Amino acid sequence: QVQLVESGGGLVQAGGSLRLSCAASGNIFSINDMAWYCQAPGKQRELVAVITRGGRTNYADSVKGRFTISREHAKNTVYLQMNSLKPEDTAVYYCNANAVTYDLSANDYWGQGTQVTVSS
């Protein structure tokens, strides 16, 4: 099994910054894509940013130029640097990883979520 543990959420004023971290652990052979999703109250979960094993990134239009996703392979960790935060960024942020375990099966795993609240 693979576990994802997120940290770094909290309350921040509009225009401020937060850095989310997500560390994967467990029976990991390798990790393919890692991503961050968000889910606001009453809305569906949506992709914020994704980073491939090779380091290619893709962002939701709403966060381009403000958020940066990065990863540390040695630590099986993905980060989301969130700058110029807006009240509409308020949501629960979830980490996602497509991990290959030692039985060579690949599955998607999710963290428990971390709350980000941006006040106006």
Side-chain angles (χ1 to χ4, degrees):
Q1 275 291 357
V2 176
Q3 298 81 39
L4 301 181
V5 178
E6 298 133 338
S7 61
L11 173 63
V12 65
Q13 288 189 331
S17 298
L18 283 173
R19 189 191 194 209
L20 306 183
S21 300
C22 171
S25 62
N27 190 29
I28 299 171
F29 176 74
S30 66
I31 300 178
N32 298 317
D33 292 357
M34 301 188 82
W36 289 95
Y37 287 73
C38 70
Q39 187 167 19
K43 294 187 177 181
Q44 290 191 336
R45 191 173 299 187
E46 59 185 23
L47 178 67
V48 175
V50 59
I51 184 167
T52 69
R53 182 169 179 77
R56 287 185 300 171
T57 59
N58 197 23
Y59 297 90
D61 287 342
S62 60
V63 307
K64 283 180 181 176
R66 299 189 298 123
F67 292 8
T68 302
I69 189 170
S70 60
R71 65 190 286 179
E72 283 190 72
H73 291 286
K75 295 183 178 180
N76 287 332
T77 299
V78 63
Y79 306 97
L80 186 68
Q81 179 65 43
M82 310 165 70
N83 297 330
S84 302
L85 281 160
K86 304 175 181 180
E88 50 264 44
D89 295 320
T90 295
V92 179
Y93 284 72
Y94 295 91
C95 173
N96 171 271
N98 183 267
V100 181
T101 46
Y102 281 101
D103 62 358
L104 300 184
S105 64
N107 293 286
D108 275 341
Y109 298 90
W110 293 89
Q112 78 286 356
T114 185
Q115 177 70 46
V116 171
T117 302
V118 184
S119 63
S120 57

